[in-house]
Amino acid sequence: MTAQPPGTPEDPQAAQARAFFDAARGRIDGFVARNFSVTGSAAMHRRAFGLDLLRAPLNVVLAPIHALTRLFALIARLLRARRLAGWLDRRSFVLPTRVAAEVEARLVHELLGIARPAKAPRGLSRLLEEAPELRQLLRDGESPEAIAARTRAAADTIAAYSGTRSAVAELTTALLTIVFGAWVFRRLTPGMVSFGPALADSFARETALSSFPLGRGAASLWYGVFPVGATLSQVMVITGALIALASVVTAFAGVIADPVQARVGLHRRRLHRLVDALETDLTGAPPRRFAANEHYYARVFDLLDLGSGLFRHFR
């Protein structure tokens, strides 16, 4: 939406848009308090029971691919290949979960203040397009194609926001793994690729000590000179089991991450950025993209985990 020259009356449509999104900004604090407290987040994550537990490990595997598409989109944008950047931005390799769908629904109905229809249309873009609260904002002199493009951009922005929650959940699981690895093994374990071999070695040593014929005292002396380690098959089995366990933990990690982020103000700042981006999407103003950098932070932990595992293997 183009800015009005100074001293001229504000366009009624611009005034309506400003009032609508200012009202959404005013709901942010209440939205965070209701949905991202310990009880609010726990209630929301009850939906993770079921098929989300199957989607979780697949999302962990697909997350690096998702991050790469966002990186390539950024490069394309810097090279002014806007059409390619837009195409890449619309590609998502994160499987939709019930928790993510619930977050998106609450953003639309509680934060934006759009009433729940008696029969919800298929797709978030269509829901926004048919919302009575947005009808005047979207349809004043706009073609159906332009309206569809605006609502599609807004739906993509909301999906990008919900995608950041998956990345934050991965970060939370990685931090828990680091704390546990430092406590138990006194080493850096930023993920299961590094944690699994450490646990396998510990298991192999404990098995060797308990089965030594001359007792644990003699076994400690013997294996102090001739260290025992896990076999490759043991490492693979234990690491695979831990990866599966970590993916389940990741599905519920928001119960820990949400209250912490709410406490330090991260949720509030992220939601302000979301509303700013949605305002530009739905009004046709120059785009103000919603930055989702959490995926890149999660990949840093992946690289640390892989590097730690390779260091152990080749040392």
Side-chain angles (χ1 to χ4, degrees):
M1 185 172 296
T2 58
Q4 296 292 317
T8 60
E10 187 175 19
D11 179 79
Q13 189 179 8
Q16 181 190 30
R18 180 171 56 80
F20 178 86
F21 290 105
D22 283 348
R25 293 182 184 95
R27 299 186 192 103
I28 287 177
D29 288 345
F31 184 87
V32 171
R34 284 192 307 274
N35 295 295
F36 299 137
S37 63
V38 174
T39 54
S41 184
M44 193 157 48
H45 280 82
R46 284 203 299 264
R47 291 167 176 78
F49 289 104
L51 289 178
D52 276 14
L53 295 179
L54 299 178
R55 297 184 184 105
L58 292 174
N59 278 338
V60 170
V61 174
L62 293 171
I65 303 174
H66 183 81
L68 280 175
T69 61
R70 295 299 173 268
L71 179 60
F72 291 150
L74 176 61
I75 295 172
R77 198 169 293 110
L78 292 174
L79 296 175
R80 300 185 182 278
R82 294 186 179 88
R83 182 173 297 181
L84 175 60
W87 184 85
L88 289 170
D89 278 332
R90 290 191 293 273
R91 305 282 78 76
S92 176
F93 293 92
V94 177
L95 299 178
T97 64
R98 292 180 63 201
V99 174
E102 180 63 20
V103 170
E104 293 174 6
R106 294 188 185 194
L107 288 171
V108 170
H109 302 303
E110 295 183 24
L111 186 64
L112 296 182
I114 295 173
R116 293 180 183 268
K119 184 178 180 181
R122 186 178 182 85
L124 187 55
S125 177
R126 183 59 64 87
L127 174 63
L128 296 173
E129 187 174 339
E130 296 180 4
E133 295 83 355
L134 296 176
R135 188 166 297 151
Q136 186 64 30
L137 177 65
L138 290 171
R139 296 177 185 269
D140 189 11
E142 294 289 342
S143 66
E145 294 77 14
I147 294 170
R150 287 191 193 182
T151 56
R152 187 165 54 246
D156 290 342
T157 296
I158 293 173
Y161 173 88
S162 65
T164 64
R165 293 180 54 79
S166 300
V168 171
E170 289 184 66
L171 288 169
T172 303
T173 304
L175 290 173
L176 291 174
T177 306
I178 288 174
V179 171
F180 197 70
W183 177 41
V184 176
F185 302 120
R186 302 292 191 274
R187 68 171 69 172
L188 178 66
T189 55
M192 295 309 167
V193 173
S194 54
F195 189 89
L199 183 60
D201 284 343
S202 178
F203 176 77
R205 179 175 173 79
E206 183 60 30
T207 301
L209 289 172
S210 61
S211 62
F212 198 76
L214 300 179
R216 293 184 68 90
S220 297
L221 294 173
W222 177 263
Y223 292 121
V225 179
F226 303 102
V228 63
T231 64
L232 179 60
S233 60
Q234 288 175 321
V235 170
M236 293 178 65
V237 169
I238 291 177
T239 301
L242 287 174
I243 289 174
L245 176 62
S247 66
V248 174
V249 172
T250 300
F252 297 95
V255 178
I256 299 172
D258 280 336
V260 174
Q261 293 179 91
R263 181 73 175 178
V264 300
L266 284 177
H267 273 309
R268 185 176 182 276
R269 291 194 291 272
R270 194 179 294 131
L271 287 170
H272 271 286
R273 298 202 319 270
L274 172 67
V275 174
D276 290 345
L278 288 174
E279 183 173 9
T280 64
D281 290 336
L282 292 171
T283 62
R288 183 187 300 173
R289 301 191 54 77
F290 175 76
N293 297 323
E294 288 82 357
H295 290 289
Y296 303 121
Y297 304 150
R299 302 292 70 80
V300 170
F301 280 92
D302 287 344
L303 292 174
L304 287 174
D305 187 30
L306 180 60
S308 180
L310 291 174
F311 177 77
R312 173 196 175 274
H313 180 74
F314 290 109
R315 68 179 177 178

